[in-house]
Amino acid sequence: VGFVNSGIMQLKQAISVVMGANIGTTVTAWLLSLTGIQADSFLLTILKPTTFSPVLAFVGIIMLMGSKRRRDVAGILLGFAVLMFGMEQMSGSVKGLAHMPEFTRLMVLFTNPIFGVLAGAVITAIIQSSSASVGILQAIANTGVLSYGAAFPIIMGQNIGTCATAIISAIGANRNAKRVAAVHLLFNLIGTVVFMSVFYALEGIFHFDFIYSPISAFGIAVTHTTFNVLATIMMYPFMSALEWLARKLVPDDKKAERFVLLDERLLNTPPVAIQQGRRLAVDMAQHAQQAC
């Protein structure tokens, strides 16, 4: 949104980036799914976060204290260790919910596709992070009371709810930047409608037994990634149609488009912000030189 708002990118260029971002955000679910590893094998035990997270944290602290040049790497290691530790703690705290009849009835309620999609969308919109809401869902899945039938619509709703971040970011931006947020919303809405229609149509014909089985954190990661990859493959050839729909949702007006060349959103990517500031400084110098 920031790049388009400042004129660095065109709307059509941003559409493919939005699609790629939807796939990229699923990586967190794969990392968090490591908390569900349960095996006596030595190799699998090494992969468990409870085994390697303390080691990463220790290495990160040593690097942070020892070298200023490696602080970025140290931050990555410490952040990953804290993420895994937090997921372990969250999974442990919700295990008691498995024995509560009210919680079990709530999970059964989410097998209704409409309720499931609404729950996933609202929670993710409040948190403003699909990765965080998927992590919460994975923690609940570790209780063993969440079925595939309940998790599937919630995951679809989470993909819709994550659009709230782009929509909020587009407030006060120019028309093309608002269209980027519209493309993000359209991508997930169309993908959810198509995939849910196909899934429940096939379920009505073949009566899948697995939808009543408990889903694991790994199963949630697979479902989340599969949806975003297939939705991207499905809609990639129709990028022009998505752009057309976005222009219909956010129509042109008589006022000329105005680019905010020094957009605060660019501060999230300092190299781009510095380059943009340098470009504007050079332009100002050239204008001053011509005026003399």
Side-chain angles (χ1 to χ4, degrees):
V1 172
F3 285 179
V4 174
N5 193 47
S6 59
I8 296 175
M9 290 180 69
Q10 299 296 319
L11 175 61
K12 192 165 187 178
Q13 294 173 314
I15 294 174
S16 57
V17 175
V18 167
M19 292 180 176
N22 276 278
I23 296 174
T25 194
T26 65
V27 172
T28 308
W30 285 97
L31 295 175
L32 294 177
S33 67
L34 295 174
T35 59
I37 295 176
Q38 293 179 352
D40 297 327
S41 168
F42 176 73
L43 291 176
L44 290 177
T45 302
I46 292 176
L47 292 176
K48 292 186 69 173
T50 49
T51 304
F52 64 79
S53 290
V55 177
L56 291 181
F58 179 75
V59 173
I61 291 170
I62 296 298
M63 292 177 66
L64 190 64
M65 296 173 63
S67 174
K68 292 183 178 180
R69 291 181 298 176
R70 296 179 180 176
R71 284 191 173 182
D72 290 338
V73 178
I76 292 171
L77 295 177
L78 285 170
F80 184 80
V82 170
L83 176 68
M84 291 295 107
F85 178 76
M87 186 62 181
E88 285 285 343
Q89 294 298 308
M90 186 164 58
S91 299
S93 5
V94 300
K95 280 183 180 178
L97 296 175
H99 306 293
M100 294 177 60
E102 296 83 2
F103 182 72
T104 306
R105 285 196 294 269
L106 182 64
M107 291 298 103
V108 172
L109 180 65
F110 288 147
T111 56
N112 182 307
I114 296 175
F115 288 147
V117 169
L118 286 175
V122 170
I123 293 172
T124 306
I126 293 171
I127 299 174
Q128 290 190 38
S129 171
S130 63
S131 297
S133 61
V134 169
I136 294 170
L137 190 67
Q138 287 176 309
I140 295 172
N142 289 334
T143 64
V145 299
L146 186 66
S147 66
Y148 275 90
F152 180 73
I154 293 175
I155 294 170
M156 298 298 104
Q158 287 171 335
N159 283 280
I160 296 173
T162 192
C163 301
T165 307
I167 292 170
I168 292 171
S169 180
I171 295 173
N174 61 34
R175 291 188 297 277
N176 268 347
K178 290 176 181 176
R179 287 165 184 158
V180 174
V183 166
H184 193 199
L185 181 61
L186 287 168
F187 175 86
N188 287 291
L189 275 176
I190 294 171
T192 296
V193 170
V194 170
F195 276 83
M196 288 189 69
S197 300
V198 172
F199 178 80
Y200 286 107
L202 292 174
E203 199 279 327
I205 297 170
F206 299 105
H207 303 289
F208 301 131
D209 293 330
F210 71 87
I211 65 171
Y212 303 105
S213 305
I215 192 171
S216 63
F218 178 76
I220 290 173
V222 170
T223 304
H224 195 204
T225 302
T226 301
F227 166 76
N228 283 286
V229 169
L230 292 180
T232 299
I233 292 172
M234 178 184 73
M235 281 187 270
Y236 188 81
F238 303 102
M239 283 197 297
S240 299
L242 279 175
E243 183 181 1
W244 180 82
L245 281 173
R247 291 185 183 278
K248 288 294 181 183
L249 286 175
V250 186
D252 290 316
D253 55 30
K254 294 180 181 179
K255 294 181 181 179
E257 189 77 302
R258 179 175 173 271
F259 295 105
V260 182
L261 300 178
L262 293 178
D263 194 327
E264 289 185 2
R265 299 173 185 85
L266 298 181
L267 294 176
N268 293 325
T269 49
V272 177
I274 292 170
Q275 179 62 27
Q276 187 72 352
R278 180 179 178 277
R279 186 162 70 90
L280 284 177
V282 170
D283 288 344
M284 289 172 64
Q286 289 175 346
H287 285 302
Q289 192 176 36
Q290 291 170 2
C292 293

